[in-house]
Amino acid sequence: MRASLIQIDVNPYESVNSRRERVGSLIRELRSSDLVVLPELWTVGAFAYELFADEAETLRGTTARAMSEAARDAGIWLHAGSIPERGEDGALYNTSLVFSPDGELAHSYRKIHRFGFDKGEAVLMGAGSDLVTVPLPDLTLGLATCYDLRFPELFRGLVDAGAHAFVIPAGWPERRRAHWTLLARARAVENQAYVLACGTAGTHAGVPQAGHSVVVDPWGEVLAEAGPGEETLTVDLDPAKVFDIREAFPALKDRVL
Ligand SMILES: NC(=O)CCC(=O)C(=O)O
């Protein structure tokens, strides 16, 4: 199973429209992949709090339509990262969208743990409450977003719901990059699952982004890691590795709590 992560530069000098078109073209070049992943809040940037309300969209908005067409044209599963969603209740959510190869919006996930450190996201956005898994032909994905990476109980819940790989779009800042790679590897090792963690590049709202998107195998080995700039990582995953490692070293079966 071939997966590609597009680490997008979210600098504020590019308009949302231009970035959306550019990302659509990048996705269409990845026809040989089975799954393409984008980062968190890539239309605006995860720390551009003042843009969230203005750029919020519904699940049938401009970004969702553009991503649906790109997924269909490329014939791939697309985890289109997250958008600032304007919910039916009027509240904002940090919502990830997953499109099937025929362009259908198959799943969406509202980020559960809002980033509360600088108050921005936690004040502006509502919290999701539902765990979301995405059964693909060869393995099941569990969805999480950025700050969620710090909360292992979410990932354990996703494993209990059948996940073999976690997809984590992010807008992780450079100043905590050491945590990013460490946590991605920890979630992989403790759950014996692949981790596909796709971050952003560039600087927005004065926050330099870490980049360094990473794919980790179920043994905790880093299969591929991006540099700091815009880049696409492509990796071949072996779904059997999850089952083999879980059988050969059955730590998940020894859980007490
Ligand atoms: N967008 C985010 O969730 C930021 C998370 C972060 O900066 C951290 O966990 O550190």
Side-chain angles (χ1 to χ4, degrees), residues 158-172:
L158 289 167
V159 165
D160 286 343
H164 307 115
F166 304 122
V167 181
I168 310 164
W172 202 274

Side-chain angles (χ1 to χ4, degrees), residues 116 137 146 157 179 181 210 248 256:
C146 202
H179 295 184
T181 317
V256 176

Side-chain angles (χ1 to χ4, degrees), residues 73-253:
D73 291 350
I76 45 101
W77 281 92
L78 174 63
H79 184 309
S82 71
I83 59 165
E85 180 207 0
R86 176 71 68 187
E88 326 68 53
D89 57 359
L92 293 176
Y93 296 94
N94 186 338
T95 303
S96 293
L97 311 175
V98 179
F99 295 91
S100 65
D102 58 8
E104 183 201 346
L105 177 60
H107 300 271
S108 62
Y109 164 69
R110 286 177 171 167
K111 184 177 183 180
I112 291 177
H113 301 95
R114 295 163 299 166
F115 188 56
F117 169 68
D118 60 3
K119 303 287 188 284
E121 183 182 35
V123 170
L124 295 170
M125 294 205 164
S129 53
D130 297 336
L131 270 60
V132 178
T133 54
V134 178
L136 299 187
D138 295 329
L139 46 69
T140 294
L141 308 178
L143 305 191
T145 304
C146 202
Y147 191 48
D148 281 334
L149 186 55
R150 294 186 182 272
F151 299 88
E153 59 278 15
L154 168 62
F155 294 82
R156 210 23 85 80
L158 289 167
V159 165
D160 286 343
H164 307 115
F166 304 122
V167 181
I168 310 164
W172 202 274
E174 168 61 22
R175 69 173 74 99
R176 289 184 292 279
R177 175 152 70 88
H179 295 184
W180 164 249
T181 317
L182 184 69
L183 290 167
R185 294 187 72 185
R187 297 296 86 87
V189 172
E190 72 199 0
N191 295 295
Q192 305 184 308
Y194 280 105
V195 167
L196 287 71
C198 181
T200 48
T203 294
H204 67 276
V207 182
Q209 296 295 286
H212 287 268
S213 296
V214 65
V215 178
V216 187
D217 81 2
W219 194 247
E221 303 286 354
V222 172
L223 297 183
E225 183 172 350
E230 182 159 304
E231 181 176 339
T232 298
L233 277 187
T234 295
V235 175
D236 287 321
L237 310 179
D238 176 8
K241 208 168 184 179
V242 177
F243 305 104
D244 291 349
I245 286 175
R246 287 182 182 180
E247 193 176 314
F249 190 74
L252 285 173
K253 289 202 181 119

